[in-house]
Amino acid sequence: MGDASSVSPAELSVHVLRYPIEQPVRTSFGIMHDRPAVFVRVQDRDGAHGWGEIWCNFPACGAEHRARLVETVLRPLLLGRTYDGPAAAWAHLTAATEVLALQSGEPGPMAQAIAGIDLALWDLCARRAGQPLWAYLGGTSDRVEVYASGINPDDPERVVRQKHLEGYRAFKLKLGFGHERDLRNLRQVRQLLGPGVPLMADANQGWGPEDAAAMAAAMGELDIAWLEEPLRADQPLAQWLALARQSPVPLAAGENCLGSAAFHAVIEAGFLRVVQPDLAKWGGISGCLPVIRAVRAAGLRYCPHYLGAGVGLMASAHLLAAVDGTRHGGLLEIDSNANPLRTLLSAPLLQLEEGVARLGHAPGIGVEPDLDALRAQCAA
């Protein structure tokens, strides 16, 4: 990894945007009627700057709430100090807010806000070094393999056809809309794709143990690459272990693990084959890198979760490129639903060749948000 040189944050701004959508994004637990984004810009005393993003999909008021946490709690803690690097800043912000997060019952939103700041600091350091983030993190290739995600239960074949034309070669369907409908969608998409094309399924914590076991068994004939979050993230490890023993489909999870201890617990328990931290939801790069190393040491796949706007998606892509240079089977999740806040900020990911994107050599994450243009898109 490149020298994570010291940072002395002097300015921090946070920006909330919302893009209205015609087609809601549906999950087993809720519906998104717009696409929110919270972008963080941090500038160092030397004038270098970087961009980060905070996870804010739920609840509907979540974006404004996370932005206020940054403005009122984290900005005063961050500015005016000098840190050895982004990881030191992340550790300081995390330690300084631990009791407050417990007292307010908000460890999740606080961790998400800190993660966005961490991403901005890593982008800042890579830009200052004149390196793409994947190289600054020690990577040797800008290559990432991708898959189309967020495919809704309504007419998934149409979306899969379109995404295949765009260069995608792996796909993930949303489940949790009734067993019959879920299995019909999976069978139809598998028939469309043919054998061997990676097809994944995401239940979004939608089932109890009996339903999860029944659905996993029914998927056994469909060559599903992984079944994501079939159970709630807070269910006892014994339930996950029992399901893993029964399931013919590998299990995946991680987007709702909060903290390194939680990740290490599930890695050591051994019921997951695919581990999916979301660097805008917990940890940023500073927290997620040690988790990824533990995932790899355990012989598991690291496939980052991501379903937000373009800044965090590009950070996720660069981190995956940095750690996947020897081809460990990592796949980058790219939302298939319309969202200019994603596509306008992730141009390298729009040019796919047989499921592979090249991130290029622009400094940092390689994009510079034009807030005025993005706001104009949201108002159009």
Side-chain angles (χ1 to χ4, degrees):
M1 183 185 301
D3 176 27
S5 57
S6 66
V7 290
S8 301
E11 298 178 21
L12 184 156
S13 59
V14 60
H15 310 273
V16 176
L17 297 97
R18 288 185 177 275
Y19 176 72
I21 53 176
E22 295 182 5
Q23 181 68 35
V25 178
R26 302 178 62 190
T27 71
S28 62
F29 61 84
I31 300 175
M32 298 174 65
H33 294 283
D34 63 18
R35 302 308 302 269
V38 180
F39 298 139
V40 179
R41 184 184 188 275
V42 177
Q43 183 164 311
D44 208 65
R45 279 205 298 258
D46 62 10
H49 75 279
W51 288 89
E53 182 177 343
I54 299 168
W55 185 92
C56 64
N57 289 341
F58 297 98
C61 62
E64 290 78 9
H65 173 57
R66 271 68 164 187
R68 291 292 289 156
L69 288 178
V70 172
E71 292 170 342
T72 62
V73 178
L74 299 175
R75 179 194 278 132
L77 291 170
L78 182 76
L79 299 187
R81 292 174 176 262
T82 295
Y83 302 94
D84 290 341
W90 177 78
H92 168 240
L93 294 178
T94 300
T97 57
E98 282 177 336
V99 174
L100 176 61
L102 291 172
Q103 183 70 22
S104 59
E106 294 201 312
M110 198 71 74
Q112 293 150 19
I114 294 170
I117 293 173
D118 183 79
L119 296 181
L121 292 175
W122 280 102
D123 184 39
L124 183 159
C125 287
R127 289 177 192 257
R128 183 167 56 196
Q131 294 181 282
L133 183 57
W134 61 262
Y136 187 78
L137 292 169
T140 58
S141 171
D142 68 342
R143 180 183 185 277
V144 287
E145 296 189 40
V146 308
Y147 71 93
S149 177
I151 300 176
N152 287 328
D154 303 317
D155 197 11
E157 301 102 304
R158 177 188 60 80
V159 177
V160 169
R161 286 191 189 96
Q162 177 60 42
K163 292 300 170 181
H164 193 276
L165 289 174
E166 294 174 14
Y168 287 88
R169 296 297 181 264
F171 308 87
K172 187 172 76 180
L173 300 193
K174 292 282 190 185
L175 305 185
F177 305 98
H179 292 0
E180 183 178 344
R181 186 182 190 187
D182 290 343
L183 290 171
R184 182 178 66 245
N185 283 342
L186 286 170
R187 290 189 182 109
Q188 289 174 342
V189 171
R190 172 51 76 201
Q191 183 176 13
L192 172 65
L193 294 175
V197 178
L199 175 61
M200 291 76 78
D202 186 355
N204 287 122
Q205 307 184 81
W207 300 324
E210 292 183 2
D211 284 340
M215 286 295 288
M219 292 180 205
E221 62 180 348
L222 297 174
D223 187 23
I224 304 300
W226 73 66
L227 173 57
E228 188 169 328
E229 290 198 318
L231 302 173
R232 276 175 41 169
D234 64 350
Q235 291 304 289
L237 293 183
Q239 290 188 7
W240 282 91
L241 285 164
L243 178 61
R245 285 193 294 268
Q246 300 174 59
S247 175
V249 181
L251 302 185
E255 68 186 86
N256 289 307
C257 285
L258 179 59
S260 59
F263 276 105
H264 285 284
V266 299
I267 292 167
E268 291 169 7
F271 55 81
L272 297 181
R273 301 309 303 165
V274 183
V275 185
Q276 304 169 299
D278 185 322
L279 51 66
K281 199 168 189 180
W282 173 82
I285 291 172
S286 297
C288 285
L289 260 177
V291 167
I292 296 165
R293 295 190 184 106
V295 168
R296 292 286 168 73
L300 307 177
R301 291 177 74 183
Y302 160 62
C303 294
H305 175 270
Y306 198 75
L307 206 73
V311 170
L313 178 59
M314 289 302 295
S316 298
H318 279 261
L319 179 57
L320 180 59
V323 302
D324 223 48
T326 54
R327 308 294 183 267
H328 292 275
L331 290 173
L332 177 71
E333 179 172 24
I334 302 182
D335 182 16
S336 64
N337 297 282
N339 184 2
L341 299 178
R342 180 188 72 251
T343 53
L344 291 175
L345 295 172
S346 56
L349 302 178
L350 302 179
Q351 305 297 321
L352 303 180
E353 184 173 343
E354 293 296 312
V356 175
R358 306 303 293 253
L359 301 180
H361 292 78
I365 59 172
V367 296
E368 181 69 29
D370 183 334
L371 294 174
D372 289 338
L374 294 172
R375 292 190 179 104
Q377 280 286 330
C378 292

